[in-house]
Amino acid sequence: MMFNSQAVSGIDQIIERAIEQNPHSSDILKAFQPIIDRQRKLVASTTLTKLDYSAIDQEKLKAGVPVIKQMSLFSSEESYKEIAKSLAATVKVGLPAMAEGIDHLSGLIQKGKLNPGDYFQAYPDAGDKVLNRWVEELQISESTGLFLLSLVARVVLESRAKEITAYLVDIQWEKGYCPICGAFPTIALIEEEGGKRFLHCSSCGQDWRFTRVICPYCENDAEKGMDYYYIENKTQESAFICEKCKKYLVTLYRTGSLFTRDMDISAMSLIHLDMIMQDKGYEPMTSCVWNILK
């Protein structure tokens, strides 16, 4: 079930609607608006090297081994430099405070001193080692480098996720982490009819169904150890919390399909819940470029 399949041209309208519903999220949504728009355009326009998805073992999937642990989703032949430079220019538009660090990164990429492909060839197991080497040898900011690389990774992984789901058609998956890239979800959506819960991965854009009676992070199934936190008069928004692992997951309730929804934008629009949960001592199930607030 995919929620972010809207045309690129609809991003502005979705963000405007999100700001109307949650005005406090205006700054972060406006900052990320050009970035999200560019990412969607790159996904639509970038042609990646074809991969052989017959290497995916569906029995391993059923056992909880995501695709990225079965095969590399990052080919050495991709134009990572061009994707990175395109996104870097957009980051400066939305987040001008990062301009100096982004310019430094872009200059190193342009001069051939920093090759994003080196990071992705080592991703996910040894990507941190490559980044740490750049920090030491090239004097880049670790946070700025990781920020830009995560944006590039999303473009590639979202494209791969679309290809994989089209190839496999029906993925048998029962884990709380993503079947494609192995990342934990940033947001959940619960449907009005039937109460089904779907999880969304911000690393690759994949959505998958997951039971409501188990914590996606630690698989705790003790009813007394899990709950939902609501804000008064905001019954369609909540945060799932687990006392065993002290993690939370912002959650939306779908009450109709009149408007197109983008789950990344929805997650950003619920940043007030991130602030409240982190103040209460809980941590998000996964760290992403907008939900780490301390």
Side-chain angles (χ1 to χ4, degrees):
M1 183 175 186
M2 301 298 289
F3 299 105
N4 60 351
S5 60
Q6 80 292 327
V8 172
S9 60
I11 289 292
D12 292 350
Q13 292 181 341
I14 295 172
I15 288 180
E16 287 177 7
R17 193 179 310 119
I19 291 174
E20 288 177 4
Q21 295 171 346
N22 290 302
H24 48 264
S25 67
S26 176
D27 289 346
I28 191 168
L29 286 173
K30 287 181 179 179
F32 276 88
Q33 186 169 354
I35 298 171
I36 294 173
D37 186 60
R38 181 63 59 87
Q39 283 181 312
R40 299 295 192 268
K41 288 178 179 176
L42 286 169
V43 169
S45 63
T46 302
T47 301
L48 299 180
T49 304
K50 291 184 178 181
L51 299 182
D52 181 9
Y53 294 124
S54 65
I56 300 172
D57 186 331
Q58 297 203 49
E59 290 302 314
K60 288 184 177 180
L61 275 175
K62 291 180 183 178
V65 182
V67 173
I68 201 167
K69 292 293 185 179
Q70 299 188 36
M71 62 179 292
S72 175
L73 298 180
F74 293 92
S75 168
S76 60
E77 301 176 23
E78 310 303 351
S79 300
Y80 299 115
K81 291 182 180 180
E82 296 307 315
I83 296 173
K85 288 190 290 185
S86 178
L87 286 166
T90 310
V91 169
K92 291 167 58 177
V93 174
L95 299 164
M98 295 184 68
E100 183 177 352
I102 289 293
D103 280 340
H104 181 49
L105 273 174
S106 297
L108 292 170
I109 293 172
Q110 186 67 36
K111 294 174 183 177
K113 294 183 178 181
L114 188 156
N115 179 13
D118 294 342
Y119 173 85
F120 292 113
Q121 287 303 292
Y123 184 93
D125 296 328
D128 288 345
K129 292 182 180 179
V130 175
L131 179 59
N132 290 337
R133 175 166 55 82
W134 290 341
V135 171
E136 293 178 6
E137 297 178 359
L138 301 176
Q139 302 299 305
I140 70 167
S141 161
E142 181 179 3
S143 59
T144 303
L146 188 59
F147 181 87
L148 182 59
L149 290 167
S150 70
L151 298 181
V152 176
R154 171 58 188 266
V155 172
V156 177
L157 289 174
E158 182 174 343
S159 297
R160 294 303 186 197
K162 291 178 184 295
E163 293 173 354
I164 292 166
T165 52
Y167 176 81
L168 295 179
V169 182
D170 182 28
I171 297 177
Q172 300 298 314
W173 190 255
E174 297 180 355
K175 293 295 183 179
Y177 49 85
C178 177
I180 306 298
C181 70
F184 282 96
T186 47
I187 187 171
L189 184 141
I190 296 177
E191 290 192 332
E192 181 181 29
E193 295 184 10
K196 299 175 182 177
R197 178 166 68 165
F198 292 87
L199 307 182
H200 175 77
C201 174
S202 69
S203 294
C204 72
Q206 180 71 11
D207 307 302
W208 69 100
R209 185 179 173 183
F210 189 74
T211 177
R212 290 182 63 179
V213 298
I214 296 177
C215 171
Y217 191 84
C218 70
E219 299 187 352
N220 174 32
D221 60 1
E223 185 176 347
K224 291 184 179 179
M226 296 179 288
D227 203 354
Y228 282 89
Y229 176 88
Y230 294 87
I231 295 177
E232 188 177 0
N233 300 322
K234 286 278 190 177
T235 58
Q236 293 182 12
E237 304 170 359
S238 69
F240 168 88
I241 53 177
C242 176
E243 295 298 340
K244 182 177 180 179
C245 62
K246 304 299 287 185
K247 301 289 186 180
Y248 72 89
L249 181 63
V250 294
T251 301
L252 279 176
Y253 294 82
R254 188 186 185 103
T255 57
S257 56
L258 179 61
F259 299 113
T260 301
R261 186 184 296 280
D262 183 287
M263 294 306 291
D264 295 311
I265 293 172
S266 294
M268 290 183 192
S269 73
L270 299 182
I271 193 171
H272 57 291
L273 285 172
D274 287 295
M275 296 175 66
I276 292 171
M277 291 299 102
Q278 290 178 36
D279 281 343
K280 290 181 177 292
Y282 297 94
E283 297 179 348
M285 290 192 180
T286 191
S287 302
C288 59
V289 292
W290 67 80
N291 70 357
I292 299 302
L293 307 173
K294 293 184 178 180

